[in-house]
Amino acid sequence: MQQWVAEIAYETTSGPKKVTETFYLPTVEDVRAAVTKKGGYALSIRPHSRSPLERLLARSTWWQVQLLRGIQFRSTSTSPGVALWKIIQAETNPRMQNILAPAREALARGLGVIDALKALNSFDHGTLAILAGSERANRLVEGIPHAIHSITQKKKNARAIMGTLGWLGFDVISIVSSLWAGKDMVLGWFRDNPPTEPDQLAKFETVVSRLELTWDVLIYSSVGLGIFMCWTIFSFFMNRGKRDWPTARIVRKIPLIGAYLQDLAFADSMSAAARMLRGNVPINDTLTQSGEASSSPDVTAYWVESQKDLGRGVSLGSALDRPPLRRNERLELAALSDLGQVATVMESIAEMRAAAAKGKHTMIVWLAFAGTGVFLAIAFGSAIYALTVMNMSMDSMMGGLMQGAI
């Protein structure tokens, strides 16, 4: 299903009339058929598109929370679908009307409120999973607060990830700028102060060439790391909402960062599952929606396999007791004897995973800081080593660099 914008010509008593209408249908052919059924002629059909500002607003946490709260407040006297329709009809801002257009078309075609929210392409898999599970239990209004909590929690996780990437980016920029600026100064001083003895001159040229090679390796490896980070950020932004793609697979193979992302994914999905169980969503639907809630293949596979075992008659604790959960987490699940304890245990696992992710985040930052020191130590240590090999003093080098700077 997709939103389409069509320019249509209608025959009227006063002559042809051109209007622009929107449709929420699977293909262009379906749009043409709908236009013909209405007695018009399709002049042009194009996919519905949002401006960059509209896409940013539709993805913002603030707008998502406000929309869900509006549905929740209006659902006290009517159904959630009618509540969403009233919100759309009451909107007067053209930009917001354009954002809500797909949901309006979905509701106009008789689809449910979950389908309308999916048509907006604003909410992530986890939020939609919580809402869909609550709707299946006929408790959508009670599930909305859990969905809002999930949105705000993921915003905190996103801030942590962006903080990590920002720190890594700062380290890379510091390394590249320091090495780039220092290379010309240090190597320039060496070349301006060659020894006069022929045998020392040959040794001098060998040492300087090796020093230059060392600095080139450090600089280009830093630039390569910076390019990889920029590409990773761009790829994650462009592939938001997808479950898997090549860049994500590469990032998950990085030892510490891959484990960090897995901890965040497990914390989100376990927390979502606990909130669905608190909202009296059936356990089968909870496992299904929890699998759909995560964009991590490992976490999705965990929920899918657990549901398969549960369908074969395995007890709930044994079905959930599987890798990649850790030993202490599996011991808690294996000891389950009452369905009422499941939500509490899942909340406990979510808290442990969140704490583990926080610890890994701190470790990543410190390793980045240490990596910066190692790079700079290698760079300037190699320069000092070259001085000792050539029997030159550090004072003479610093004096020459200061005079060159002046």
Side-chain angles (χ1 to χ4, degrees), residues 35 81 93 143 193 265 270 351:
V35 172
N93 188 311
N193 297 273
M270 282 288 180
E351 291 176 359

Side-chain angles (χ1 to χ4, degrees), residues 41 43 99 163 199 221 232 254 285 296 299 304 319 332 380 402:
Y41 301 91
L43 301 177
I99 294 174
D199 56 338
S221 60
T232 300
I254 302 174
D285 290 339
S296 173
V299 178
V304 171
E332 288 195 33
F380 294 105
M402 293 298 294

Side-chain angles (χ1 to χ4, degrees), residues 5-8 19 21 31-32 35 41-46:
V5 178
E7 290 186 353
I8 307 172
V19 298
E21 297 183 8
V31 177
R32 294 187 186 278
V35 172
Y41 301 91
L43 301 177
S44 66
I45 302 174
R46 59 178 176 83

Side-chain angles (χ1 to χ4, degrees), residues 73-88:
F73 294 153
R74 288 172 173 78
S75 296
T76 56
S77 58
T78 185
S79 66
V82 175
L84 178 57
W85 180 262
K86 289 182 177 180
I87 292 173
I88 296 172

Side-chain angles (χ1 to χ4, degrees), residues 2 17 41 165 222 357 364:
Q2 186 176 351
K17 180 181 179 181
Y41 301 91
L165 292 175
S222 301
I364 291 171

Side-chain angles (χ1 to χ4, degrees), residues 274 277-278 332 339-349:
L277 290 175
R278 297 288 188 195
E332 288 195 33
L339 187 61
Q341 300 175 346
V342 179
T344 302
V345 172
M346 287 183 174
E347 288 174 346
S348 175
I349 294 175

Side-chain angles (χ1 to χ4, degrees), residues 23-339:
F23 297 85
Y24 188 67
L25 293 167
T27 63
V28 175
E29 288 71 19
D30 294 323
V31 177
R32 294 187 186 278
V35 172
T36 303
K37 187 176 180 180
K38 296 175 67 174
Y41 301 91
L43 301 177
S44 66
I45 302 174
R46 59 178 176 83
H48 171 84
S49 61
R50 294 171 177 167
S51 66
L53 180 60
E54 290 171 352
R55 287 196 296 269
L56 183 63
L57 181 59
R59 287 283 187 177
S60 67
T61 301
W62 174 85
W63 185 81
Q64 294 176 18
V65 170
Q66 293 303 313
L67 180 62
L68 291 179
R69 283 177 177 169
I71 296 174
Q72 181 184 12
F73 294 153
R74 288 172 173 78
S75 296
T76 56
S77 58
T78 185
S79 66
V82 175
L84 178 57
W85 180 262
K86 289 182 177 180
I87 292 173
I88 296 172
Q89 293 297 104
E91 185 58 60
T92 58
N93 188 311
R95 181 174 289 113
M96 300 303 300
Q97 289 175 345
N98 197 35
I99 294 174
L100 293 169
R104 183 191 63 212
E105 294 299 322
L107 293 174
R109 285 177 48 81
L111 300 178
V113 63
I114 300 300
D115 292 319
L117 293 176
K118 288 180 179 179
L120 290 174
N121 196 25
S122 299
F123 299 94
D124 57 33
H125 294 296
T127 303
L128 290 173
I130 295 173
L131 295 173
S134 301
E135 187 197 33
R136 291 183 184 180
N138 293 322
R139 295 176 177 270
L140 180 58
V141 177
E142 299 178 13
I144 288 178
H146 299 303
I148 292 175
H149 183 272
S150 176
I151 292 172
T152 54
Q153 186 64 39
K154 286 185 177 181
K155 183 179 180 181
K156 294 179 181 178
N157 293 339
R159 285 178 177 174
I161 293 175
M162 292 307 297
T164 303
L165 292 175
W167 182 259
L168 293 175
F170 172 76
D171 279 346
V172 171
I173 293 173
S174 300
I175 292 171
V176 174
S177 59
S178 299
L179 295 180
W180 211 292
K183 177 185 174 183
D184 292 336
M185 290 173 44
V186 174
L187 293 177
W189 183 87
F190 271 105
R191 291 194 174 96
D192 292 338
N193 297 273
T196 56
E197 297 81 2
D199 56 338
Q200 290 291 325
L201 182 60
K203 183 180 179 181
F204 172 82
E205 291 176 350
T206 301
V207 172
V208 172
S209 62
R210 289 177 179 175
L211 178 62
E212 184 176 12
L213 177 61
T214 301
W215 280 52
D216 285 340
V217 171
L218 293 175
I219 289 173
Y220 289 121
S221 60
S222 301
V223 172
L225 179 61
I227 293 174
F228 173 74
M229 289 183 58
C230 293
W231 167 252
T232 300
I233 296 172
F234 177 76
S235 179
F236 270 80
F237 180 78
M238 295 300 296
N239 292 280
R240 290 178 64 181
K242 293 184 179 180
R243 295 188 178 276
D244 198 20
W245 67 95
T247 307
R249 289 194 290 269
I250 294 173
V251 172
R252 284 197 298 271
K253 291 180 180 179
I254 302 174
L256 187 59
I257 295 179
Y260 170 64
L261 294 176
Q262 186 186 79
D263 284 341
L264 287 180
F266 256 118
D268 287 339
S269 63
M270 282 288 180
S271 181
R275 285 191 289 270
M276 282 188 276
L277 290 175
R278 297 288 188 195
N280 297 321
V281 177
I283 186 63
N284 286 330
D285 290 339
T286 297
L287 296 182
T288 301
Q289 297 300 329
S290 297
E292 296 179 359
S294 177
S295 58
S296 173
D298 294 339
V299 178
T300 300
Y302 167 82
W303 294 107
V304 171
E305 295 300 323
S306 298
Q307 186 184 27
K308 289 180 181 178
D309 283 355
L310 190 65
R312 289 195 293 264
V314 179
S315 64
L316 180 59
S318 299
L320 295 174
D321 179 14
R322 64 177 62 253
L325 289 184
R326 302 189 179 98
R327 184 174 180 276
N328 58 337
E329 297 167 344
R330 297 176 67 176
L331 287 175
E332 288 195 33
L333 289 170
L336 283 176
S337 59
D338 183 9
L339 187 61

